[in-house]
Amino acid sequence: MALSSKARPHLLVAALVLVVVGVLVARMPGATPQAVPGSQVPATTTPPVVDSVGGDGAGDPYYPQDGNSGYDVRGYDLAVGYDPATQRLDGKALVTATAMDGLSRFNLDLYELAVSEVSVDGKPAEFRQEGEHELVITPAEPLVKDAEFVVAVTYGGVPTLFQDRALGKSGWQVSASGGAFAAGEPHSATTWFPANDTPRDKASFKLAARVPDGWSVVSNGAEGETTRADGWTTYRWDAPQPMATYLTTIAIDKWTIDRTTLADGTPVVNAFAPGATQARAEQGRLPEVLEFLASKFGPYPFESAGGIFLADDIGFSLETQTRPIYAGWADLETVVHENAHQWFGDSVALRSWADICLNECFASYAQWLWSEGKDGVDLDAKYRGEIARTDDSSSYWNRKLYDMGRGNEFRGVYDKGQLAVHALRRQIGDEPFGKVLQTWTAQHRDGNASWPEFEAHVEQVSGQDLDGFFAAWFHGDKIPSDEYLWPGPLRK
């Protein structure tokens, strides 16, 4: 994520997220996804049903009630409809999942939208909505451990925002043009569709979105067939590679669409809202940006690319997977930052929000790498200049980069994080540093990882004991001692 300089004075770039909303399948000719029957277990091998219930949280210590336990989502298949005139969204979501245990009850997350019908494997299920976002589902028959099942949820209403005093707004937002988009971090998806809302449960994502003629829809992944009927147009998007829920997006506007390809044939779809004209030149360099980042991080990890450019001057841009969503102020550095996230944060997702430096520290350092590689900037001199400007200020150094506490996730990762990663590079050397980046993204592609795992990875690749270094830079809240502040060639 990248934040506006107005929103966060210390940050070159920052993060939050965008996502949007859905429509009742009965109102969408040709847009209804087909449910996949749950897997059948032969009678002779069917294990006994265990009467257990899934929990209403996935275990993240910062957001203990985000997500749910008891199952693993394989894919989301959404059919949604949105009318900008009424701001109403209606939808039907098919959620294909695998039971991790025998389940007599389980939960999904859905925020402020009303559910009218639920079925599990085609059979009506009991359901109730509790608290701010819990959809509690009791299937007609308990689910057997390791069985695949499909939940169908019909829902609707006027989507709204999450409001967080520390992290700001996220979720469904109405744009100045009268359209809408969904974005935010750590939340946003459940303001427009039911989900297991935790980065730990990545899944494929498919969308059929129906809007009045004259409006259009852009989302994640590859562009599919567009159909028109009775004054409405249905747009289809397909993102088959695993994705964290907060990285999904839907953006509704009167888009101008540019379609190109990368050198290897990867399709590129760029969408520009009315008035978002300045971004065209910056996004025109996307192939160059991705080629440069691939030289540092390894091959581009997805099957599609592009960007969604708003005219709205919101406070952040967000790394929505395959197609980042950009605020009206976005510049070339923002494009570099959000596309670096396609490796660090999207393909390799964090395990817990305490691990956010894995996303933001490295996307922010990608801006330094770009300035070094493209503009010839001396990063050692830049590092020394940044250190000099901090003046040993406790307000700068007291921001931890790992396990910083709920609400503090984005305080230090954009500026202090850049210094820390450059110090790490100088501590272990250019060749091991490059190997660290490429082997990390290759080993954890399409999965999740934690900051402690990254520390162990760096030590293994570099052959160095780095406990003191990591404690000083990433776990600590004071200026590092000279031993770690001036490693290798930085030492005077």
Side-chain angles (χ1 to χ4, degrees), residues 266-283:
T266 299
V268 178
V269 178
N270 295 316
F272 301 91
T277 55
Q278 293 182 341
R280 284 176 179 269
E282 313 292 8
Q283 189 66 355

Side-chain angles (χ1 to χ4, degrees), residues 23 43 61 63 134 141 153 191 272 334 381:
V23 94
Y63 304 96
E134 297 296 339
E141 299 174 0
V153 181
T191 62
F272 301 91
T334 311

